[in-house]
Amino acid sequence: MTPHKTTADLPRIEGPLGGLIQRLSNLLFGNRALMLGIFAALTVFLAWSASGLKVDAGFKKMIPLEHPYMKTFTDYEQTFGGANRIIVALIREPAAEGAAPATIFDKTFMASLKAATDDLFYIKGVDRPTVQSLFTPNVRFIEIVEGGFAGGNVIPATFQGEPEDLETVRRNVQKAGLVGRLVSNDLHGALIRADLLDVDPETGEKLNYPRIAAELEALRAKYQKDGVQVHIIGFAKAVGDITAGAQGVIAFFLIAFVITALLLLWYTKSAKLTGVALVCALLPVLWLLGTLPLAGYGIDPLSILVPFLIFSIGCSHAVQMTNAWKDAIADGFDATDASRYAFSQLFIPGTLALVTNALGFLVIMLIKIDIVRELGITATLGVSLMIVTNKMVLPILLTYLNIGQATLDKKLKLENSFDPFWRACSHFAEKRTAVWAIAGSVVLLVIGFVFAREQKVGDLGSGLPELREDSRYNRDNAAITGNFKIGVDVISIVVQTHDIDGACTDHRVMDAMDAFEWRMKNVDGIASAISLPSMAKIVNAGFNEGSLRWRVLARNRDVLAQAVTPIDTGTGLLNSDCSAMQMLFFTSDHQGETLAHIVQSVKDWNAEFHAPDSEFAEIAGKVEFKLASGNAGVMAATNEAVEEADKHELAAIFGAITLMCLLTFRSFGATLCIILPLALVSLLNNALMAVLGIGLKVSTLPVIALGVGVGVDYGIYLYDRIEVHLHHGMSLVEAFFNALKERGAAAAFTAVTMSLGVATWAFSALKFQADMGVLLSFMFLVNMLGALILLPSLLAFFIKPKPARG
């Protein structure tokens, strides 16, 4: 094929940025070998940097530290412990039929429990004073004897595992009330609990959670034998399981890569074009992974999906560029001039789309949760780098390509085969057809609104929602919650007093706490509670021969002090000077609705407590019931932060897109036509989440921003060409038809390709990845349909054809 057009035949770059684009074009293509060498050297350097990328997970990254509840959490973390806890349960399998019941009061089981306690104690990162099991000295019993009280360690120092020793331990467990707490309801199992520190005590660096998870698995392997099952839960174990599941992302990445490569080969009809497009789609991923360590970031298991999204977006823009280059080749330009043409035509709309993507991801950083902010930074970096890799490196690489006439003919034949479909779509730009499309959209709007109202905030179901219901972690969680009364979800309320000496011996304070505990025990979702007043009442009865009539709070300060004294700070129920006391409420589950109801009940109590006519008005100004700590308190705060952030996120992302479109197209009508389809799809996405039972939480909150940020590309690319054709005097129908011929196939192809790629996530072991795959696949595909159907329909009413240029 002999080209018959030269550089002089290239169309003039118009608009206010025309001069800048022309100078950039001259720089890139006039020094293409030098520029390619610079980009190659940068790629090698960033590839080396990427080798130092580490998994970076952290408990406090997952929580909104600026939320008022989390201020309580951090203020009292050193006093009462945090929510970053490990729970290990050793549970004996049921005895064979006819055999004696298999309880924990067995020499072999006790030896395993002691050894497992020691092993957990010595795991680096464990806060050792918080380790608690039957064998730790902070687990004690108190009993009433003839002379008053007697007590000691539940397992005495003389324990040898002999039958008489085991019987002593059995009695002590009952005296200490440990059944359901550290010992299972049926006496078949026992717990070991420990909190984790924030940093490695030796290095001062962040804890390596995958390492801790691996050590916990080694502990499981060591002690899961002889009819004993080991179950482990906690944040560190969850991170380990999510990290292990995230390794499967690589497999899904490869599957998506193969799908994309095959579809690209079918679409381009050229192995060379396919190879170049794939290289430039992978390049921003490599650059991103190399940039993160330089910026001081690792990669969190929950944001490990971002590189795949960057690859998908990269494919989308690469297809648009190669498509424009092919069109220029078919029009008679050589490879270099065709690259100049493609660069000049796509740099502005492509950069606009990528900047809009970046702004969409950047607004995620408004959410005051570190993991979400890191996700926003990672995604923003990725699409920003794409401006270089896809708008500069790719056009330079295309100058070195040759495409045969036979390949070109096949490609043109394939694209021309879409003409009947494009012609049918172009009728949506006619008012008589547009009316029906808009009416259908209104119906979808109403349906979406109805279902979106049922969308829930927070976790749905039981266990760890990021993992499948049948995952090892969730089976462990079910085993522990099913065998122990206290459950694993606890919300703690800190009672802080001011200007009250010895608050825990002040009947007014203790009576208010007792009334609060009674109120909360009758709230749906509260399974049980532990507090200083309830413990003091038991002790007081003990001083009076165990009579239930004396299970009350004494009004006399000295008698009340006698009841409180045996309860030390190691219980986590009070601090050293009694100015702060913790009340623990174990919840039946951690679903968003349950936690919201419990939190509202606490707020209602506070409102009544501080009311002028309150029965506790005398001390109301000196006592605070502060929300909240415990893992359920953390979840409640996170849910509130997510719900608030969802509103701000939508406002910010649509505001950013509106601003960028207004600055570029200088048309309010055009901007509205691009924005409205995106808004409809966002509403439908919320409705889909409600229907599928996917809660709005930290892992799903970014989906809207990701979907809208990518979905806006279709409208921008299409309207950019519509505007050009309108300026040349075409009717809206013809302008839209020609825009579809030029960019419709590439837009539809990339939407289908990205949808198929993320749809494979539905088979992931990670539930949150499967959820994101379904939602993103839906948004990619439906946003494309919105650009093909609703965009022209709205343009038919909002845009007037412009006079042709002379």
Side-chain angles (χ1 to χ4, degrees):
M1 179 180 63
T2 304
H4 57 270
K5 288 189 176 182
T6 65
T7 305
D9 296 310
L10 288 171
R12 180 172 173 271
I13 304 174
E14 300 174 345
L17 297 177
L20 176 63
I21 303 302
Q22 187 63 59
R23 288 192 293 274
L24 186 56
S25 176
N26 293 337
L27 173 66
L28 290 174
F29 299 105
N31 306 278
R32 55 180 182 156
L34 174 63
M35 297 303 295
L36 201 58
I38 293 173
F39 291 138
L42 183 60
T43 301
V44 171
F45 170 72
L46 291 175
W48 169 80
S49 176
S51 64
L53 188 66
K54 297 179 180 178
V55 174
D56 180 21
F59 177 73
K60 289 191 175 178
K61 286 170 58 177
M62 300 288 294
I63 62 180
L65 291 174
E66 297 179 33
H67 191 280
Y69 302 170
M70 294 302 93
K71 294 293 291 180
T72 302
F73 171 80
T74 54
D75 287 348
Y76 297 96
E77 185 177 9
Q78 297 301 318
T79 304
F80 297 129
N84 190 1
R85 178 168 294 172
I86 295 170
I87 296 178
V88 179
L90 277 64
I91 300 178
R92 298 193 68 176
E93 295 176 351
E97 189 174 348
T103 68
I104 65 170
F105 304 108
D106 171 85
K107 185 175 183 178
T108 302
F109 180 90
M110 283 295 182
S112 295
L113 181 63
K114 183 179 188 307
T117 302
D118 292 341
D119 286 353
L120 183 62
F121 183 87
Y122 286 108
I123 289 179
K124 191 166 64 173
V126 167
D127 188 5
R128 290 172 182 170
T130 67
V131 176
Q132 194 176 49
S133 86
L134 293 180
F135 280 93
T136 56
N138 54 8
V139 177
R140 300 173 60 82
F141 74 94
I142 298 174
E143 65 175 327
I144 305 166
V145 295
E146 187 175 344
F149 284 92
N153 293 345
V154 169
I155 296 184
T158 57
F159 180 81
Q160 296 293 322
E162 300 303 323
E164 57 273 20
D165 294 332
L166 294 171
E167 184 56 34
T168 298
V169 172
R170 181 194 292 272
R171 291 196 301 269
N172 291 347
V173 164
Q174 297 291 342
K175 295 171 188 175
L178 297 178
V179 175
R181 293 168 56 202
L182 284 180
V183 176
S184 66
N185 302 326
D186 57 7
L187 307 181
H188 287 178
L191 287 184
I192 311 168
R193 294 189 296 211
D195 289 348
L196 291 179
L197 299 167
D198 290 332
V199 296
D200 189 310
E202 295 180 8
T203 65
E205 296 179 353
K206 292 180 180 179
L207 285 185
N208 184 335
Y209 286 101
R211 172 192 58 80
I212 294 174
E215 291 187 44
L216 291 172
E217 276 302 320
L219 187 148
R220 186 202 302 270
K222 182 176 180 180
Y223 296 105
Q224 188 160 283
K225 59 184 180 180
D226 301 328
V228 174
Q229 292 291 319
V230 179
H231 306 281
I232 307 171
I233 60 174
F235 178 75
K237 189 65 182 67
V239 169
D241 287 6
I242 291 173
T243 302
Q247 294 172 1
V249 172
I250 299 173
F252 287 104
F253 189 94
L254 292 175
I255 293 171
F257 182 84
V258 171
I259 291 173
T260 303
L262 292 175
L263 290 175
L264 264 175
L265 187 60
W266 170 81
Y267 177 69
T268 63
K269 306 300 181 185
S270 167
K272 294 179 183 178
L273 271 180
T274 299
V276 168
L278 288 173
V279 166
C280 288
L282 287 170
L283 207 54
V285 177
L286 178 61
W287 284 20
L288 171 64
L289 297 180
T291 303
L292 288 176
L294 299 177
Y297 289 101
I299 189 159
D300 192 279
L302 289 177
S303 62
I304 203 165
L305 306 178
V306 171
F308 176 80
L309 291 173
I310 299 303
F311 170 73
S312 298
I313 298 170
C315 278
S316 172
H317 288 269
V319 168
Q320 290 286 357
M321 185 67 74
T322 55
N323 203 54
W325 179 83
K326 177 270 306 172
D327 288 342
I329 292 288
D331 204 26
F333 290 102
D334 65 12
T336 300
D337 286 336
S339 291
R340 284 179 176 270
Y341 173 80
F343 175 82
S344 66
Q345 293 296 306
L346 290 178
F347 187 81
I348 291 178
T351 301
L352 169 64
L354 289 172
V355 169
T356 306
N357 292 165
L359 286 173
F361 301 147
L362 205 59
V363 303
I364 299 176
M365 295 177 64
L366 294 172
I367 302 166
K368 298 175 181 179
I369 301 174
D370 286 349
I371 177 61
V372 181
R373 286 175 168 173
E374 284 189 19
L375 186 148
I377 291 171
T378 305
T380 302
L381 269 176
V383 295
S384 299
L385 292 169
M386 212 177 293
I387 295 175
V388 178
T389 60
N390 285 58
K391 304 306 173 195
M392 299 181 189
V393 177
L394 178 55
I396 293 176
L397 288 176
L398 289 173
T399 64
Y400 293 96
L401 249 62
N402 291 314
I403 185 169
Q405 186 62 48
T407 301
L408 193 59
D409 289 342
K410 289 180 182 178
K411 180 74 169 64
L412 291 174
K413 182 180 179 181
L414 173 65
E415 291 190 352
N416 289 334
S417 67
F418 288 105
D419 281 3
F421 180 69
W422 300 143
R423 180 60 68 184
C425 288
S426 69
H427 291 303
F428 287 111
E430 299 174 347
K431 287 188 177 181
R432 60 184 180 181
T433 308
V435 169
W436 292 104
I438 294 173
S441 299
V442 171
V443 172
L444 288 176
L445 179 70
V446 172
I447 294 173
F449 179 76
V450 170
F451 282 99
R453 292 175 62 188
E454 302 301 319
Q455 186 184 33
K456 307 297 184 185
V457 177
D459 295 334
L460 304 178
S462 59
L464 186 69
E466 282 72 24
L467 298 173
R468 298 282 187 181
E469 189 176 348
D470 60 350
S471 67
R472 182 58 186 264
Y473 185 96
N474 283 335
R475 295 201 310 271
D476 285 349
N477 184 81
I480 292 173
T481 55
N483 283 280
F484 297 85
K485 276 193 299 189
I486 62 171
V488 296
D489 298 317
V490 59
I491 182 168
S492 74
I493 307 301
V494 176
V495 181
Q496 176 68 60
T497 63
H498 306 279
D499 302 322
I500 298 179
D501 292 331
C504 55
T505 60
D506 189 310
H507 180 268
R508 299 169 301 169
V509 176
M510 294 287 278
D511 187 45
M513 292 173 63
D514 190 44
F516 174 65
E517 181 179 353
W518 179 86
R519 168 80 71 87
M520 294 303 295
K521 280 183 175 179
N522 288 280
V523 170
D524 288 340
I526 296 294
S528 60
I530 300 175
S531 72
L532 185 61
S534 61
M535 297 292 288
K537 286 194 287 185
I538 294 173
V539 174
N540 192 56
F543 275 112
N544 293 276
E545 300 178 346
S547 172
L548 293 178
R549 292 183 179 182
W550 287 93
R551 191 170 284 195
V552 293
L553 294 171
R555 293 184 176 274
N556 182 280
R557 179 180 286 268
D558 293 333
V559 176
L560 188 54
Q562 178 182 254
V564 170
T565 299
I567 307 168
D568 61 33
T569 56
T571 61
L573 297 178
L574 70 164
N575 65 356
S576 57
D577 64 357
C578 233
S579 61
M581 293 157 281
Q582 182 176 220
M583 305 182 72
L584 303 173
F585 297 96
F586 297 93
T587 65
S588 55
D589 57 63
H590 55 244
Q591 294 192 41
E593 283 187 321
T594 301
L595 298 182
H597 178 59
I598 292 170
V599 166
Q600 187 57 51
S601 298
V602 177
K603 291 178 179 178
D604 291 343
W605 161 267
N606 275 324
E608 294 176 22
F609 181 74
H610 291 285
D613 59 347
S614 168
E615 63 178 298
F616 304 106
E618 182 183 355
I619 60 167
K622 300 179 180 181
V623 179
E624 294 180 84
F625 288 81
K626 303 176 74 170
L627 284 158
S629 188
N631 68 316
V634 169
M635 284 186 263
T638 303
N639 291 347
E640 289 189 10
V642 165
E643 187 171 19
E644 182 66 22
D646 184 45
K647 304 168 189 174
H648 295 160
E649 178 192 41
L650 286 174
I653 189 169
F654 281 104
I657 293 174
T658 299
L659 179 62
M660 292 302 299
C661 289
L662 282 173
L663 290 174
T664 304
F665 299 123
R666 296 187 174 128
S667 167
F668 179 77
T671 300
L672 197 61
C673 294
I674 292 172
I675 292 294
L676 288 178
L678 295 174
L680 175 61
V681 176
S682 298
L683 179 65
L684 293 176
N685 175 76
N686 289 343
L688 181 63
M689 290 176 68
V691 171
L692 297 180
I694 300 173
L696 184 65
K697 52 197 177 190
V698 170
S699 58
T700 56
L701 183 61
V703 168
I704 293 289
L706 297 174
V708 172
V710 175
V712 72
D713 292 3
Y714 310 127
I716 289 174
Y717 272 120
L718 284 176
Y719 184 76
D720 177 66
R721 296 310 298 166
I722 291 172
E723 186 181 44
V724 169
H725 294 309
L726 287 175
H727 276 300
H728 285 87
M730 288 187 183
S731 67
L732 179 60
V733 174
E734 287 303 312
F736 184 52
F737 174 70
N738 281 281
L740 288 174
K741 280 180 65 68
E742 293 165 355
R743 293 180 180 171
F749 170 79
T750 52
V752 171
T753 302
M754 287 194 294
S755 295
L756 286 175
V758 296
T760 62
W761 295 358
F763 302 100
S764 171
L766 298 177
K767 181 67 165 57
F768 83 93
Q769 183 187 2
D771 291 344
M772 285 191 71
V774 171
L775 298 175
L776 287 173
S777 181
F778 172 80
M779 293 195 76
F780 290 160
L781 198 58
V782 181
N783 271 322
M784 181 268 291
L785 294 176
L788 293 182
I789 298 172
L790 190 53
L791 171 64
S793 301
L794 293 169
L795 288 173
F797 290 93
F798 284 96
I799 297 295
K800 293 181 179 180
K802 300 179 180 180
R805 290 174 177 169

